[in-house]
Amino acid sequence: MASFESVDVKEGVDQETIDAVREVGGAYKYGWETDIEMEYAPKGLDAAIVKLISEKNNEPEWMTDWRLKAFNRWEKIKEPKWSMVNYPEINFQDQYYYARPKSMAEKPKSLDEVDPKLLATYDKLGIPLKEQMLLAGVEANEEVEKGERKVAVDAVFDSVSVGTTFQKELKNAGVIFCSISEAIREHPELVKKYLGSVVPITDNYYATLNSAVFSDGSFVYIPPGVRCPMELSTYFRINAENTGQFERTLIIADKGSYVSYLEGCTAPKRDTAQLHAAVVEIIVEEDAEVKYSTVQNWFPGDEDGNGGIYNFVTKRADCRGYRSKVMWTQVETGSAVTWKYPSCILRGEESQGEFYSIAITNNHQQADTGTKMVHLGKNSKSRIVSKGISAGFAQNTYRGLVSMHPRAKSSRNYTQCDSLLIGDKCGAHTVPYIEVKNNSSRVEHEATTSKVDDDQLFYCRQRGMDEEEAVALVVNGFCKDVLQALPMEFAMEAQQLVAISLEGSVG
Amino acid sequence: MLNIKDLRVNLEDENKEILKGVDLTVDAGKVHAIMGPNGSGKSTLSYVLSGKEGYEVTHGSIVLNDSDILEMEPEERAAAGLFLAFQYPVEIPGVGNMTFLRTAVNAQRKARGEKEISATDFLKQVRERASSLQIDAEMLKRPVNVGFSGGEKKRNEILQMAMLEPKMCILDETDSGLDVDAMKLVAKGVNSLRDNGRGFLVITHYQRLLDHIKPDVVHIMADGKIVKSGGPELALEVENNGYSDILSEVA
């Protein structure tokens, strides 16, 4: 769709119609904000703020000390500059590190007690926090029978989790699914054992920062032999202005267990950039399997590149056990700047790591994203399928590491990196790093770059599709391998997102 | 049905005139064939009719069923009933043939203010129409034209035509690259779509396609103009004597 500003208003068309059309066609659907009374920690970051966050969460001393250790380290290290993204220097002292709705000062005992304004927020986002059957934002289509699958949701609003659904039903199955702050209080033995064991506090600048100031996030524990009875999901919403969101997710899949976990994110439209630095740690024991799917739709900034979320995320899975398996699937359509490399440490023999990614950048968005597959165990396997799509003035980089250690004999990797360009002012880059330290492993890398072809678009239009629909069809075709890896609900949402995020990229 | 008047067209980039005053009327129910040597402007005519970018219409008009289509976008022309079977059908990786067809059918229905076709009705129709073109289920699942043989591509074009039920069908050298059997199959598909409400414009180099799709009128195009029109016997004359006789005759 051409920009609405350039459209002449025809006679007989009233403002309401124009607004309605604008809303339907408008690019970012989630850019509104919730007017709610908030409580902030003072601006800036020092040891006192770290202690305050810990105190707000009623944390035990060991947790406070852990945070302070991270903070002390963070003060000594520098922001990394090696990625292919440009952004103005972030003033870390000009941010709020903790913001929660006042009504959450006393944690509601059940969802019924949660502030209706917060419930309405998630309702508007299409995530009603009633224990509904489907993760909404996604309408049940004719192929999906209603009620076929359940999705439990942990809803995180700025710095706090406002509630988690289906807890009782999950508890009956032995699954623990709650906010991380609750887990620190209720299940300290698990948190102590696993927190920081995959992404240590020394890992990298943003992970260290997160370790010091993370306020909430989700915690999942699947006991041995349990197949989680429903999909689990966390929905992150940034609402407050000038506030960073630092969430921490910890997922433990014990021996022989299985879980599929979904993550969604949105934020209001603002002309100042906002910081998001999350850490996700996944531990996969023997014969266990974890699927982790993300649809990242943070506000990408406006057409001129103002505002948007700076997304610096560390996600890593540690496949510790024999035949353990992890699959990362991500659809990245949002954020002004994305710096994110969901990785797999393939420690167990015959362990498997998979990474499927679609990264779409339009206007002035920049993405530097990819994965690391570190093969330590014998006969371990990994597969990487990355699809980068650039439009407007955007820059899209795939950066990936495949490392075969000496002990990882007879291991295999297959990497496929495809880039698609729309227009001639955007860029696509592929930066693969490959290290092989044994002579029985095999690494394959394929990369392609193509353009959305005028002939393809004309062909589609001759058959009756408009230009936007034609682009969406061609791009969805390009992304098919990855879309297929998503759970059904997400796949449909992702297909629509692909179309929405490319609006205005042609013509 | 289709009415082209004194159509003059330049190549946008080169300011070079390709069509130099084409007049043509195709009535509903009729099959018109256009023959002509390479570079005479036949394919350009099909692109200009369907609204491809890169051409500048400097003069004349194209009217389809009382609407001037020159101001319309390609998709609007399609919804108005204009269909072009491409000489070189385009490949679209990752998009299933069936998905493509359904998206196209529903896009046109939507544009005409009609309801979307139900999944079951659609499936039924596709299967029916595909089988008469000897297109199997596997070919319907494969990505649009990817890895299709020349014959498969052309049959797929005719299947799209059958599903979209256009009013005015343009076939741009649909016989190129086909062996005799494939050509018969394509011709059979086209013939089954012939009816009183539908017009055809068949662009071809050779008479042989016209043995199978019998035209009502044959036009000879040369240097951007229709230089001679007549009945099916005109195509035979070309077959026997080549274009040079006709061209020298009209020169």
Side-chain angles (χ1 to χ4, degrees), chain B residues 29-31 83 85 129 132-133 155-169 171 185-200 213:
Chain B
K30 298 292 180 204
V31 174
F83 181 92
R129 292 172 198 186
S132 69
L133 286 160
R155 264 145 64 201
N156 201 31
E157 292 293 289
I158 306 304
L159 174 64
Q160 292 179 18
M161 189 162 97
M163 288 303 296
L164 292 165
E165 300 175 343
K167 299 196 178 83
M168 182 67 221
C169 309
L171 281 73
L185 209 55
V186 164
K188 195 181 128 202
V190 172
N191 287 330
S192 70
L193 291 169
R194 286 178 76 160
D195 69 29
N196 291 336
R198 193 169 278 145
F200 284 87
I213 305 173

Side-chain angles (χ1 to χ4, degrees), chain A residues 327-393:
Chain A
M327 179 168 141
W328 295 103
T329 308
Q330 60 169 22
V331 179
E332 304 279 310
T333 61
S335 295
V337 172
T338 300
W339 182 99
K340 180 180 166 188
Y341 316 89
S343 305
C344 303
I345 313 290
L346 301 168
R347 202 183 299 275
E349 277 185 32
E350 292 183 30
S351 57
Q352 274 186 52
E354 290 174 19
F355 174 78
Y356 298 93
S357 169
I358 298 170
I360 301 179
T361 49
N362 195 359
N363 298 320
H364 291 268
Q365 282 178 276
Q366 305 172 66
D368 192 304
T369 184
T371 184
K372 285 192 269 187
M373 293 290 175
V374 181
H375 291 253
L376 301 173
K378 251 193 259 175
N379 295 316
S380 50
K381 276 194 265 183
S382 64
R383 182 183 174 86
I384 299 169
V385 179
S386 161
K387 308 276 178 178
I389 298 134
S390 296
F393 300 91

Side-chain angles (χ1 to χ4, degrees), chain A residues 437-451:
Chain A
K437 292 178 183 148
N438 68 59
N439 54 19
S440 58
S441 291
R442 210 167 76 201
V443 176
E444 289 174 67
H445 182 97
E446 285 178 28
T448 66
T449 303
S450 48
K451 280 191 76 168

Side-chain angles (χ1 to χ4, degrees), chain A residues 456 459 461-463 480, chain B residues 73 75 84 94 157 160:
Chain A
Q456 284 176 332
Y459 190 67
R461 293 179 75 189
Q462 206 305 302
R463 296 305 184 246
K480 193 178 163 219
Chain B
E73 296 292 333
E75 59 270 26
L84 170 64
E157 292 293 289
Q160 292 179 18

